[in-house]
Each structure stands twice: as structure tokens, then as C-alpha cells.
Amino acid sequence: METTRLGGPGGIEVSALCLGVMYFSTIVDEATSFALLDRFTEAGGTFVDTSDNYPCWIDGYDGSESELLLGRWLAARGARDRTVVATKVGALPDPRRGTEWPANAEGLGERAVRAAVEGSLRRLGTDRIDLYQTHIEDRTVPPAETVGVLADLAEEGTVGLLGVSNHRADRIAEARALAGDRPRYRAVQQRHSYLRPRPDADFGVQRWADGPILDLVRAEDDLTLLAYSPLLSGSYTRPDRPLPEQYRHPGTRQRLSELRRVAAETGATPHQVVLAWLLRSDPPAIPILGVSTMAQLEEALAAADLVLDADQLARLDAAGAPAVQRE
């Protein structure tokens, strides 16, 4: 598998695809989770992504499960030195802050971040997190407080690179400016796929890679875009998975039509074309794969070798200018 540089010049070399382990050991059983991680690394994958709250929103789980599974796999396979581990802070439910999630999320204050990183290190069985990301916005904490504690952790060596997820572009730019010469955000993880939501789309605490985010990443050579939900939970191909309402506008029909045309030309699946487009789009993105079966993983891995020519990329880019009205 090809590699890329996370965080731009001086960053970390990682595989072009990242494996997300959100549901590993829960919806995806432990044996299958281990097999998927084994196959991903066998294919050259080095980059895995989790969070300290996965999957806390499902009854019966507290959010520790994904990190614990990854920690067990890293130990069992002796894989820590060859795996770039990313996790997140800020969205774990804190019972002291109420009973409704995400209103009761742990947040991004200094004490919360310090406590959270210790918990993640323990669950992952490591003394360093390669990419530490703020998970959702916390408007109750001054940005300088979050920036300061994250920079401290990076300078102490507890974490490597810093990243941010589900934040607005202006908030990310503000945080990077506040950091000055200290460690700052060098990765931004947003909902991102070939199909574009309506400009007014609302995903709750999730944020998508809108125009300002894409412009920010294009302008900053030390900022890498990570794309979560790149295949929209199978909505591109599965009749039982209708497109989310936020993607229903006239431009979607045009983009789907061009996507299917390019898939037919290349002999690839629509999912593979989406992933190949993300890898070579402007700005390029690292897709985070959310798979639950070996067949899904094999399909995704093949996308890393799919070459789209300049004409196909141009046609995919031009199809379906963003719409402002609903159907």
C-alpha cells in the first residue's frame, strides 16, 4: 500500500488508508476484529483510528470497548512499533455532567484532557499516542486552555501529532494561531465523501468537510484531511441503506451518475471509485475505513491501487455543482 505524510513535512509516514475500529469487539466480534486488523496490516496498512468513547451511544457499552480491543490486538501481535495509533478526547460521557449524551461529554478543559489521555494510554497499553484528536467542539472552555494542555502533552512526549475533529474551520484556524510556535493541530478529521451534503445540512455534533474546511487544508501544507464515513454506511450501493436526508438534492443525482460511469469504465465498484477519488482529490484525504466483514475490507484495500486518469477525475469533480435547495 502507498504511504503518505500525516501532518505534512516532518509529520508521520502512514498508510494511504486508515482502518477505523469504532465497533470492533462490540458489533464486530473480537475474532473478526482481530482478523480485520491482521489483514489490514498484512496489506501494508499502518494507521488505525479509535476514540475514548466508542461506542458509548449503544446500550450496554461505556465507550472503553474500542480502545481496549485495539490494545489487546497490539499486545497480542507485538504490533505497537509498526502501528500509528490515533484516538480522540472530548466526547466520552461524564455522569457528573448529566445523563444525556452528548450534552454530558467530558469536554476539552485541561483537567478533562489530562484524565482522558491517561485512560486512553492505559486501555491502549502504550506510553504514547501518535495522533491525539479533539473529538467535538466544547464552547464552554476557552480555546487557549485546550490549545495549552494539548501542546503540553505533545512537548512532554505523551502524544505525537495533534488533530481536531468535528470543528468549524474558523475555530481550527483560531486554535492553530493561538498555538504560535508550540505544537498545533496538524490533522482535521471530518465527515467527508464524494457526495456533498446540502450547504445547510445538520449532522448534530458531527461536522462535514465544507468549503471553508477544504480551503483551510489546501492553504496549509502541515494540515492533513482525514475522511470519516467515506462510504456513507453503504448508501452508494445498498438498497437497504438509503442516502441520509442531508444528501438529497439535485446535485447528488448528477454525481451518482458520473460515479457509476467511471466505475463501469474502470471495472471497479462505486465504493472503490469513491475511495480512489478521495485519495487524489483536491485536497487529498486519508479515508478512514469503517468495515465489519473481510469482503468489505478487501474491496476497500483494492481501491488503493485504482488509478483514475485526469479526465475521470475532472469529470467526477465537475459533476453536480453544490445545490442550495431541496428536491
Side-chain angles (χ1 to χ4, degrees), residues 19 21 23-38 69 73:
L19 183 61
V21 299
Y23 293 117
F24 282 19
S25 87
T26 53
I27 291 176
V28 182
D29 65 66
E30 183 142 342
T32 302
S33 299
F34 269 53
L36 291 169
L37 282 158
D38 289 343
L69 178 282
W73 178 82

Side-chain angles (χ1 to χ4, degrees), residues 160-183:
L161 294 184
L162 301 174
V164 57
S165 183
N166 299 310
H167 283 52
R168 284 185 354 197
D170 59 340
R171 299 273 289 182
I172 298 170
E174 177 187 10
R176 280 167 56 87
L178 283 169
D181 294 331
R182 303 189 72 197

